[in-house]
Amino acid sequence: MDNLDPIAIRVLFEEWDPQTESAQHDQAVCRFPGEPTNAATMASEDIAKLAETLAKTQVAGGQLSFKGKSLKLNTADDAKDVIKEIEDFDGLEALRLEGNTVGVEAARVIAKALEKKSELKRCHWSDMFTGRLRSEIPPALISLGEGLITAGAQLVELDLSDNAFGPDGVRGFEALLKSSACFTLHELKLNNCGMGIGGGKILAAALTECHRKSSAQGKPLALKVFVAGRNRLENDGATALAEAFGIIGTLEEVHMPQNGINHPGVTALAQAFAINPLLRVINLNDNTFTEKGAMAMAKTLTTLRQVEVINFGDCLVRSKGAVAIADAIRGGLPKLKELNLSFGEIKREAALSVAEAVADKAELEKLDLNGNMLGEEGCEQLQEVLEGFNLATVLASLSDDEGEDDEDEDEEEEEEEEEEEEDEGEEDEDEEEEEEPQQEEQGEGPSAPSQKGPGPNSGTDTSDPEKVVSAFLKVSSVFKDEASVRTAVQDAVDALMKKAFSSSAFNSNAFLTQLLIHMGLLKSEDKIKAISNLHGPLMTLNHVVQQDYFPKALAPLLLAFVTKPNGALESCSFARHNLLQTLYKV
């Protein structure tokens, strides 16, 4: 009875009646022994019939769950109870392994048990490698995939979210995706897996191959739901996946928030979405559209008719982009239920255009324009316009409005400057990559933190937040992703910050505020020049927030500012998304 939905039990009791066999809802009563009934006893045949119905319902549910049991399955012996339950479960259709940790050997024997489960359709395998070395995950996934392939399973859902397996982890289930076990796949969920650009490309190629092979058998892959948020896919990974999406053509939901995607990747996705006419949900929250990406997406929206949810919050669509999206909405999207254009640097007139565009959307439930640049008067006007359309209740809070911008900034110039910065950033990275091998050949390693910044015995006044910020930035500025330099930076920062945070005289909030100002993430009345490159500080912060000395109460504030759109952050998307992934877990 463990697998029986309580609602199903209630329905079964309501349907059973010893006299009429179809009692009405208000007549259905589940009685305890000793309570009076219309019939003194249930006839034995009725009991047998009820038991049979319950048994059938249990099989129809078909789900075996170990969710959240915190099982540590390292060896075959550790997994013996899990294996027995799998083997004894007839008609297994869904297996939940979330919230456990599965090692290579345990995965191998579980896979062996799955070889006889041909009816398995849903694999809920998110967060099942907690504490594992990254090198352990691919062979574990390969074993599990082989078990499914051997069984002849036909999956409809595969969820591997919250498993930090990186690009190599994608290799672990690549063969599964290309096999007949996934020809029937409808939902693929890979949220927060750290796939990166490389993993995105491997995934795209596997999906394309799955579609090719399934099409050859007359039943093309008809993927409906794709989830891959927080994976650092960036432009190249997004573009590769866009090509796969264009080939598949059956998508209904796409969730790809927080991936460091800029307008080239957004444009590629927009073009792919245009040939997926069944799309209902588009979630690209916290990527960077700018006007170019927003215009491309607006063009696609004019061709779609089934869209219900659009989440372009934190996407820096800006005013021109918002107007283009408003024009697309005005002429179509009759089923629109939710539109999120929050934190996009949208000004008053553009926001009002958006409000006017949704006037005829009878199914609209939520319009989010919070965190833009409307000003107090603009917020009032927006509310008045929506009240005029009887849509006042759909407007989300405007409590984080940035206020009306006094300066009439040229958005095109801003975008050009940002693109130039992006190009310069890429060139700098290329130059660094070229220079580093030369330094190694010549035996000249990069400058160590002790040469450029304060070490643990530098005499920094750790009771003064401003001085601690200055020391932190000096040390973190020389960060490089090389073991020797990374370790030296982290050791120096640990000594500095541990001493500061452990002091009762140290104001942690003031420290974080000053740090955000110096990083250009928070405005200040004082004219403080922000540092030009945030890569080192972001990578160093990613280490700091995981340490015991770091006050966990600061994490939500830091998360809020790192999440907000910012040109300086966009040029360091890899470091930013690393930090975001960590902060979500703190």
Side-chain angles (χ1 to χ4, degrees):
M1 298 281 287
D2 288 346
N3 302 297
L4 187 60
D5 188 340
I7 295 175
I9 296 175
R10 188 189 69 204
V11 170
L12 286 166
F13 275 99
E14 287 174 359
E15 288 179 347
W16 182 84
D17 186 282
Q19 295 181 349
T20 67
E21 295 186 0
S22 59
Q24 296 298 316
H25 183 280
D26 57 352
Q27 295 173 323
V29 180
C30 178
R31 303 182 188 277
F32 291 95
E35 289 186 332
T37 61
N38 291 334
T41 58
M42 277 189 186
S44 59
E45 59 265 31
D46 289 324
I47 295 173
K49 183 178 179 181
L50 177 59
E52 183 183 353
T53 307
L54 287 170
K56 287 180 179 177
T57 305
Q58 178 176 352
V59 173
Q63 175 173 285
L64 177 58
S65 177
F66 299 95
K67 181 178 180 180
K69 293 191 175 182
S70 301
L71 302 174
K72 294 181 180 179
L73 308 177
N74 298 316
T75 66
D77 191 58
D78 293 336
K80 64 182 181 182
D81 291 339
V82 172
I83 292 166
K84 186 176 188 308
E85 288 201 51
I86 291 173
E87 290 175 340
D88 292 348
F89 198 112
D90 293 330
L92 180 63
E93 294 183 8
L95 178 61
R96 307 196 78 106
L97 292 172
E98 310 104 306
N100 299 291
T101 178
V102 181
V104 176
E105 186 182 337
R108 191 178 299 119
V109 292
I110 290 172
K112 195 71 180 173
L114 292 177
E115 289 181 1
K116 297 178 181 178
K117 301 298 174 182
S118 61
E119 296 176 20
L120 188 61
K121 293 180 173 62
R122 299 183 182 275
C123 296
H124 302 279
W125 294 351
S126 64
D127 188 24
M128 58 179 268
F129 296 111
T130 304
R132 297 287 167 187
L133 295 174
R134 184 171 286 188
S135 59
E136 293 182 83
I137 301 175
L141 287 173
I142 289 170
S143 294
L144 292 168
E146 288 173 347
L148 296 172
I149 295 168
T150 302
Q154 293 186 313
L155 298 183
V156 295
E157 181 178 0
L158 176 61
D159 186 355
L160 291 169
S161 299
D162 299 316
N163 290 310
F165 46 57
D168 292 340
V170 185
R171 292 282 188 201
F173 60 93
E174 179 184 16
L176 174 62
L177 280 181
K178 292 179 179 179
S179 75
S180 58
C182 286
F183 288 179
T184 49
L185 197 63
H186 288 168
E187 301 181 32
L188 179 59
K189 300 173 182 178
L190 299 165
N191 203 54
N192 191 32
C193 291
M195 290 190 291
I197 294 171
K201 289 181 176 180
I202 297 167
L203 176 61
L207 288 172
T208 301
E209 179 69 2
C210 180
H211 187 272
R212 185 191 68 78
K213 291 169 73 174
S214 58
S215 297
Q217 293 192 8
K219 294 181 179 179
L221 172 67
L223 191 66
K224 296 179 181 180
V225 178
F226 180 82
V227 181
R230 293 188 296 199
N231 270 292
R232 305 194 312 273
L233 295 169
E234 302 184 22
N235 289 332
D236 289 349
T239 300
L241 285 166
E243 292 175 8
F245 296 164
I247 292 168
I248 294 168
T250 55
L251 288 167
E252 296 179 15
E253 295 186 25
V254 175
H255 302 264
M256 296 174 66
Q258 295 181 11
N259 270 298
I261 307 170
N262 298 325
H263 69 81
V266 172
T267 300
L269 288 171
Q271 292 167 350
F273 292 165
I275 43 183
N276 280 267
L278 301 177
L279 265 176
R280 294 183 296 104
V281 179
I282 305 174
N283 176 7
L284 293 176
N285 186 284
D286 197 11
N287 290 291
T288 307
F289 283 37
T290 62
E291 183 188 341
K292 290 183 180 179
M295 296 290 275
M297 199 59 71
K299 183 178 179 182
T300 286
L301 291 176
T302 62
T303 68
L304 300 174
R305 302 291 294 172
Q306 305 301 319
V307 174
E308 298 175 6
V309 177
I310 297 172
N311 187 343
F312 296 159
D314 290 333
C315 283
L316 209 65
V317 298
R318 294 206 173 108
S319 295
K320 290 183 180 178
V323 170
I325 291 170
D327 289 343
I329 291 171
R330 187 178 289 108
L333 304 186
K335 299 182 179 181
L336 188 64
K337 292 181 179 178
E338 183 176 332
L339 174 61
N340 184 346
L341 294 175
S342 61
F343 298 96
E345 291 191 3
I346 300 169
K347 298 178 184 176
R348 184 199 307 191
E349 294 304 319
L352 293 175
S353 294
V354 172
E356 291 165 1
V358 300
D360 63 342
K361 307 307 171 193
E363 297 184 35
L364 190 69
E365 297 172 359
K366 184 178 181 181
L367 173 63
D368 193 345
L369 288 165
N370 195 21
N372 285 300
M373 305 165 76
L374 281 61
E376 187 176 342
E377 187 177 333
C379 289
E380 291 175 0
Q381 282 184 306
L382 181 64
Q383 290 165 334
E384 288 172 4
V385 168
L386 290 169
E387 282 174 6
F389 299 139
N390 292 320
L391 290 173
T393 57
V394 307
L395 183 63
S397 168
L398 297 171
S399 59
D400 293 319
D401 187 74
E402 296 283 347
E404 197 161 11
D405 196 359
D406 294 332
E407 298 177 10
D408 185 19
E409 296 175 342
D410 188 330
E411 291 184 0
E412 288 182 9
E413 286 182 9
E414 280 186 18
E415 290 189 10
E416 285 173 8
E417 287 173 7
E418 285 175 4
E419 286 169 22
E420 285 174 10
E421 286 174 7
E422 286 173 16
D423 293 339
E424 286 172 8
E426 289 171 8
E427 287 172 11
D428 289 343
E429 287 175 10
D430 292 339
E431 287 173 9
E432 284 177 10
E433 287 173 5
E434 290 172 7
E435 287 172 5
E436 285 170 13
Q438 292 175 5
Q439 290 173 332
E440 287 173 9
E441 288 170 14
Q442 298 168 6
E444 296 175 7
S447 301
S450 58
Q451 294 172 297
K452 294 183 69 173
N457 300 313
S458 64
T460 301
D461 181 3
T462 52
S463 64
D464 186 336
E466 182 65 38
K467 290 180 180 178
V468 174
V469 167
S470 178
F472 174 87
L473 292 174
K474 283 179 182 177
V475 175
S476 63
S477 67
V478 299
F479 180 94
K480 283 186 181 294
D481 198 19
E482 297 173 5
S484 59
V485 181
R486 180 173 64 247
T487 301
V489 169
Q490 291 174 351
D491 287 349
V493 166
D494 282 343
L496 173 72
M497 300 312 305
K498 187 174 183 179
K499 185 178 179 183
F501 285 130
S502 63
S503 170
S504 58
F506 186 68
N507 188 327
S508 300
N509 290 320
F511 163 77
L512 184 56
T513 300
Q514 288 300 314
L515 181 61
L516 292 169
I517 290 171
H518 282 277
M519 292 175 69
L521 306 182
L522 179 62
K523 293 178 181 177
S524 171
E525 294 180 0
D526 301 323
K527 291 185 178 179
I528 295 176
K529 186 178 180 181
I531 58 175
S532 58
N533 190 340
L534 296 183
H535 179 78
L538 289 172
M539 293 297 284
T540 306
L541 275 172
N542 187 47
H543 167 77
V544 169
V545 299
Q546 298 178 64
Q547 307 311 307
D548 291 338
Y549 61 69
F550 180 75
K552 301 304 183 238
L554 296 182
L557 181 60
L558 181 56
L559 177 64
F561 281 94
V562 178
T563 302
K564 290 179 68 174
N566 186 289
L569 286 173
E570 295 308 325
S571 62
C572 303
S573 57
F574 174 81
R576 178 196 190 190
H577 284 280
N578 260 1
L579 178 56
L580 281 172
Q581 285 183 315
T582 301
L583 287 170
Y584 275 109
K585 295 177 182 177
V586 171

